[in-house]
Amino acid sequence: MTEKMRNLRDGYSSALIELGHQNEDIVVVDADLALSTKTKRFGTIFSNRFFDFGVAEANMMGAAAGFATCGKIVFASTFAVFATGRCYDQIRQSIAYPNLNVKIVATHAGISVGGDGASHQMLEDIALMRVLPNMVVVTPTDATEIEDIIPQVAKHQGPCYVRMGRADSPVLFGKHEDFTLGKAKILEDGNDVTLIGTGTMVSETLKARKLLKKDKINAQVILIHTLKPIDQDTIKKAARKTGCIVTAEEHSIIGGLGSAVSEALDMHPVPLKRIGVPDVFGESGEAKDLVKKYGLTAENIGEAARELVRLK
Amino acid sequence: MYPPKIIKNLQKRALTIRKHVVDSIYLAGSGHPGGSLSITDILTCLYFHEMHHDPKNPQMETRDRLVLSKGHSAPALYAALAEAGYFEVKALNKLRKINQFLQGHPSISVPGVEISTGSLGQGLSVGIGMALAGKLDKKDYHVFVILGDGEIDEGQIWEAAASASHFKLNNLIAILDRNGLQIDGPTEEIMSLEPIPLRWRAFGWHVLEIDGHDIEEILMSFDEAKKSMKPTLIIAHTIKGKGVSFMEGTLSFHGKSPTKEQWVKALSELEQEEQELYD
Ligand SMILES: Cc1ncc(C[n+]2csc(CCOP(=O)(O)OP(=O)(O)O)c2C)c(N)n1
Ligand SMILES: [Mg+2]
């Protein structure tokens, strides 16, 4: 079976260009990674509304805040590790606290960055951004979905963090499948266990469902792109229906999707297993080998699900 | 060359603001008098002479913008905003109190405050975004950013300094409150900054040096800055705690409120000075 692959950055930059045509107030800033993040495509068309700040992310975030105070909707892009790690204080003080319209869209998140190694494999960004008041956090699934989500992010009043990986991802959705910021989407129904995936791990949850079928386990699959505010209703309903949950994310198991889902279930707990990178830094390697070594595959999700079903 | 009357009126206004600074920090029981008093004359000149702004319409699109990057000097900013009419003067008595709107450091939710600050080193970048937006929208407002001298130890200031000249932001005017002190001691002992003019010129800025307590020099420096083709840094030589004898040039009044006796003494000194001005 060959899947159709497409890079989320292509979806992002196409959405930006579309927005740029519709709205004069869209401004894009980058920090010497405009070719990698693909914001350069916007910059080529709207050169007066594109600003490259060089290798100076903190200054870029501050300037993005300044633009936003003047009525601009600012998209600020760089790699996830720099966007959130290096600029945490700038985001906290100059963007989130004043609740400004800055949309931080970060690429190259997660361990599948590959060869660059741990210095570039951002596994803590969801945790960092999720804890900030006013911040909306989104990890889109595929290039089609991100094209749907970006205009909603632009429309939302206030700061947003949008995260994507580096690698091409399987195209799971056709055009205009109605993705709504803040709303989870049930991709497959089932009664025995719920698999909740985000970002690059959504396709793995779908594969896991097929694996589980062979064991006569009927898994429900839920896609969560908006980690904050998280769709509590859908999560609670799923917990009631299947009684156990596996979460899957390309992020540390601390502070990301697994944590957010557990928090949503605080008064209605059910057994839950978190698939993610354990509390360690990554390393260089091929993406496909890294996801195996760090336990981010459909097999890992399936194993966790079987264990939960056995416990029932 | 400004008429003496204009200068005298601004001096009176500055004294009123100094009194508010001392009062509000005393009532709050904490706060930063030293760096508030060193920028009082500059803020007075900005809000009561230089800046195009409308307290009844704080969001007016063509307004000049002020970023108080050294946010701990909020008491002086709040006093200037209150005197200008952005909110009631009596609100100053509730500085730093629970359920009140005047936060210890500037918050964007206060009418007239353009951006929240408090974590040093970020305001120049924000000013750059505002200045770029002004150019993009073809609006001819100016953006003023007040920096502390200790504050410019921060690396982000230098990222910002480089980008301001790169983007040719001659609508950006930074004012350096050169009071010579940071928290742990004199700036040149803690982390040397000199030669400041050479450093900023090397980053592509137009640099002026003035006495930051001389109203006429302050006003004239704005006039000159606005003629520049480059971003301008006005190095304002100031005295930390200016106007209150026992606070002037002392490290300890960086961030503490006066005792009751000190408060009474400070007010009587400022009132004395006021008396002399009105004579
Ligand atoms: C990023 C950051 N680090 C530390 C502080 C704590 N702090 C508050 S004021 C100050 C000294 C600032 O010195 P300066 O800029 O010279 O201020 P001024 O003399 O004008 O009061 C410090 C270190 C802070 N507010 N922000
Ligand atoms: Mg100082």
Side-chain angles (χ1 to χ4, degrees):
Chain A
M1 178 188 81
T2 50
E3 293 165 309
K4 195 178 154 224
M5 304 291 276
R6 195 174 163 224
N7 200 290
L8 268 72
R9 288 171 279 154
D10 291 325
Y12 169 46
S13 54
S14 299
L16 269 187
I17 290 166
E18 179 85 26
L19 276 175
H21 283 297
Q22 291 163 6
N23 188 342
E24 291 248 311
D25 285 329
I26 302 285
V27 165
V28 177
V29 299
D30 205 301
D32 204 29
L33 286 169
L35 290 172
S36 299
T37 64
K38 307 209 181 193
T39 58
K40 185 74 188 174
R41 287 184 59 207
F42 177 96
T44 307
I45 301 174
F46 306 102
S47 57
N48 63 328
R49 289 191 265 148
F50 174 77
F51 302 89
D52 198 322
F53 281 82
V55 197
E57 297 80 9
N59 185 42
M60 172 182 78
M61 290 298 178
F67 269 120
T69 67
C70 298
K72 303 299 174 197
I73 300 168
V74 193
F75 282 82
S77 285
T78 176
F79 290 176
V81 68
F82 311 126
T84 60
R86 177 168 281 249
C87 301
Y88 186 76
D89 191 48
Q90 285 73 21
I91 296 172
R92 180 182 191 275
Q93 313 279 358
S94 293
I95 294 172
Y97 176 40
N99 199 14
L100 293 172
N101 246 340
V102 176
K103 320 299 177 181
I104 301 159
V105 182
T107 67
H108 295 64
I111 202 156
S112 56
V113 156
D116 280 341
S119 64
H120 284 55
Q121 292 162 339
M122 189 30 140
L123 297 168
E124 315 97 67
D125 53 332
I126 295 174
L128 287 171
M129 293 297 106
R130 212 164 64 80
V131 79
L132 283 172
N134 294 333
M135 187 65 78
V136 165
V137 180
V138 197
T139 62
T141 316
D142 76 353
T144 320
E145 187 198 279
I146 198 171
E147 281 187 59
D148 251 29
I149 291 282
I150 289 292
Q152 298 180 49
V153 162
K155 212 178 208 167
H156 174 80
Q157 283 294 319
C160 297
Y161 176 64
V162 182
R163 155 206 233 240
M164 68 192 99
R166 164 174 171 261
D168 290 351
S169 299
V171 177
L172 300 178
F173 307 113
K175 271 226 171 302
H176 307 302
E177 271 208 39
D178 167 41
F179 295 101
T180 310
L181 205 59
K183 279 260 163 293
K185 198 173 175 78
I186 298 173
L187 297 181
E188 300 284 353
D189 227 335
N191 295 314
D192 300 328
V193 58
T194 299
L195 314 179
I196 305 181
T198 196
T200 51
M201 294 301 283
V202 173
S203 56
E204 295 301 310
T205 55
L206 288 168
K207 284 182 207 155
R209 182 175 193 273
K210 285 189 188 144
L211 296 176
L212 291 166
K213 266 255 150 78
K214 292 180 193 145
D215 299 332
K216 305 267 184 306
I217 295 173
N218 190 13
Q220 181 190 41
V221 177
I222 297 180
L223 175 170
I224 289 191
H225 45 68
T226 310
L227 292 157
K228 188 185 165 192
I230 201 157
D231 184 347
Q232 300 208 7
D233 284 350
T234 301
I235 295 170
K236 282 178 191 157
K237 267 188 209 136
R240 248 178 270 138
K241 180 169 180 178
T242 67
C244 57
I245 297 178
V246 181
T247 59
E249 62 197 303
E250 198 185 329
H251 181 271
S252 166
I253 52 160
I254 301 174
L257 172 72
S259 301
V261 170
S262 318
E263 290 157 17
L265 291 172
D266 55 359
M267 292 296 286
H268 321 269
V270 296
L272 179 143
K273 281 193 78 85
R274 291 165 297 148
I275 298 296
V277 177
D279 186 19
V280 292
F281 286 104
E283 63 180 294
S284 291
E286 296 271 345
K288 64 176 184 357
D289 300 328
L290 288 167
V291 294
K292 276 203 194 100
K293 176 165 178 181
Y294 289 86
L296 304 175
T297 63
E299 287 72 25
N300 299 112
I301 298 168
E303 192 46 51
R306 271 181 229 110
E307 198 181 327
L308 287 173
V309 171
R310 269 201 301 276
L311 278 174
K312 272 197 183 179
Chain B
M1 285 37 48
Y2 280 87
K5 192 165 170 232
I6 286 187
I7 291 175
K8 196 159 186 175
N9 280 338
L10 288 169
Q11 285 169 332
K12 287 177 186 166
R13 192 70 90 163
L15 273 170
T16 307
I17 291 173
R18 285 199 160 84
K19 288 199 290 184
H20 288 319
V21 166
V22 171
D23 280 345
S24 62
I25 295 176
Y26 170 68
L27 291 173
S30 66
H32 298 79
S36 298
L37 293 169
S38 59
I39 59 162
T40 297
D41 298 302
I42 293 159
L43 281 174
T44 305
C45 289
L46 284 169
Y47 280 102
F48 298 94
H49 184 90
E50 173 57 37
M51 289 202 312
H52 171 59
H53 68 120
D54 180 1
K56 295 285 159 270
N57 183 12
Q59 294 303 317
M60 181 174 66
E61 287 191 1
T62 54
R63 71 192 184 279
D64 289 330
R65 273 96 170 145
L66 176 102
V67 174
L68 182 62
S69 190
K70 40 169 280 187
H72 58 279
S73 303
L77 175 64
Y78 293 155
L81 291 173
E83 281 292 319
Y86 281 91
F87 47 83
E88 287 186 58
V89 170
K90 70 171 194 248
L92 299 173
N93 297 338
K94 299 278 168 61
L95 172 66
R96 291 181 168 235
K97 301 287 187 211
I98 193 165
N99 297 329
Q100 302 295 324
F101 73 108
L102 295 182
Q103 299 299 299
H105 290 79
S107 156
I108 200 167
S109 54
V110 175
V113 172
E114 299 285 355
I115 181 71
S116 310
T117 50
S119 177
L120 294 169
Q122 303 191 16
L124 191 57
S125 302
V126 177
I128 283 164
M130 294 172 175
L132 281 169
K135 297 263 179 202
L136 185 56
D137 293 341
K138 303 199 165 47
K139 295 194 176 112
D140 60 2
Y141 59 76
H142 284 84
V143 180
F144 297 88
V145 179
I146 301 182
L147 301 169
D149 48 5
E151 180 182 18
I152 68 170
D153 292 348
E154 285 284 358
Q156 189 181 344
I157 292 291
W158 299 94
E159 297 180 9
S163 67
S165 57
H166 175 82
F167 291 125
K168 304 187 172 59
L169 298 179
N170 63 338
N171 53 350
L172 179 69
I173 300 170
I175 303 154
L176 180 67
D177 181 12
R178 184 67 173 121
N179 58 28
L181 297 176
Q182 50 196 106
I183 292 188
D184 285 349
T187 59
E188 296 317 283
E189 279 175 30
I190 301 305
M191 185 49 62
S192 39
L193 298 169
E194 296 292 352
I196 295 174
L198 273 181
R199 287 184 181 188
W200 286 77
R201 281 191 190 112
F203 274 70
W205 287 59
H206 178 49
V207 177
L208 304 172
E209 286 198 70
I210 60 164
D211 174 346
H213 300 304
D214 182 316
I215 300 289
E216 186 161 34
E217 279 194 32
I218 298 170
L219 297 181
M220 282 166 49
S221 71
F222 296 149
D223 295 335
E224 193 183 327
K226 286 192 291 183
K227 286 187 216 137
S228 170
M229 300 304 288
K230 301 174 176 176
T232 298
L233 177 75
I234 300 171
I235 302 173
H237 292 276
T238 59
I239 296 168
K240 206 156 171 168
K242 171 74 180 178
V244 176
S245 62
F246 57 91
M247 291 185 181
E248 287 193 359
T250 63
L251 264 188
S252 66
F253 276 103
H254 169 82
K256 79 169 183 203
S257 74
T259 62
K260 184 153 193 197
E261 293 70 42
Q262 288 169 331
W263 170 59
V264 171
K265 183 157 191 291
L267 275 190
S268 79
E269 284 184 22
L270 292 168
E271 266 154 20
Q272 172 88 34
E273 210 180 316
E274 212 168 25
Q275 211 57 53
E276 284 160 19
L277 261 185
Y278 279 88
D279 275 345

